[in-house]
Amino acid sequence: MATEPEMWADSARPKDFPAPQETIARIAKATHAFLAGETDLLEVGINERSLTHHLAVHIAPYFDQWHTDCEYNRLGDATKNLPRPEELMTSPDDTSALTIFPDIIVHRRRTHYNCAVVEVKKAGNRRGLDLDVAKLRGLTMAGDYDYTVGLHLIIDCARVVVADVVAYRGGDVDDDLTAYAQGLFIQ
């Protein structure tokens, strides 16, 4: 597994800051509750924004004293930006930053304490997949955001299951955390 980011040594770090495995376990429990409790929404094929909103509602109680937000694009008072990924550039001159709206984040607003970022795709939807991966890589790497863990969930609405999950740490896929997450999410 990836080494812990420097902020884990921060003496001011909130005492209730969960370790990556605990974060994944909490989100897995919330996701199972979401899948069990929202079958009527899943069966009608709601759009991904509605899906992530309802999932965030289920995640929030597992992170007392933390904020769970959808499409939150702020870093303090500034806008969240990542360098534009090469595959999303329209020309070699297009080097501007990309304003991002993560699907779900667990964080403490107006601080640098960022617990989890979750990107969700419905099974079969490949549109925006590269952007999801770019966001997860950028938001979990050391720097402005430093999210402790990122999860990419693929939800099969027809079967009402998580079809796949990939975990990110330190700006890259973390194979050990991915295996751990798959054991919790995929049944």
Side-chain angles (χ1 to χ4, degrees), residues 41-64:
L41 290 175
L42 296 165
E43 289 170 354
V44 298
I46 61 171
N47 72 33
E48 286 177 9
R49 276 175 273 169
S50 293
L51 185 123
T52 57
H53 163 74
H54 287 280
L55 178 56
V57 168
H58 284 270
I59 291 172
Y62 288 90
F63 293 91
D64 191 36

Side-chain angles (χ1 to χ4, degrees), residues 85-101:
E86 202 172 301
E87 63 272 13
L88 300 177
M89 290 185 187
T90 56
S91 76
D93 299 326
D94 186 2
T95 59
S96 62
L98 184 66
T99 301
I100 57 167
F101 303 88

Side-chain angles (χ1 to χ4, degrees), residues 4-10 146:
E4 301 298 343
E6 285 183 30
M7 63 111 199
W8 285 86
D10 178 0
D146 260 341

Side-chain angles (χ1 to χ4, degrees), residues 24-44:
I24 292 170
R26 291 179 191 186
I27 294 172
K29 287 178 188 173
T31 302
H32 290 300
F34 163 74
L35 292 170
E38 304 289 354
T39 54
D40 58 329
L41 290 175
L42 296 165
E43 289 170 354
V44 298

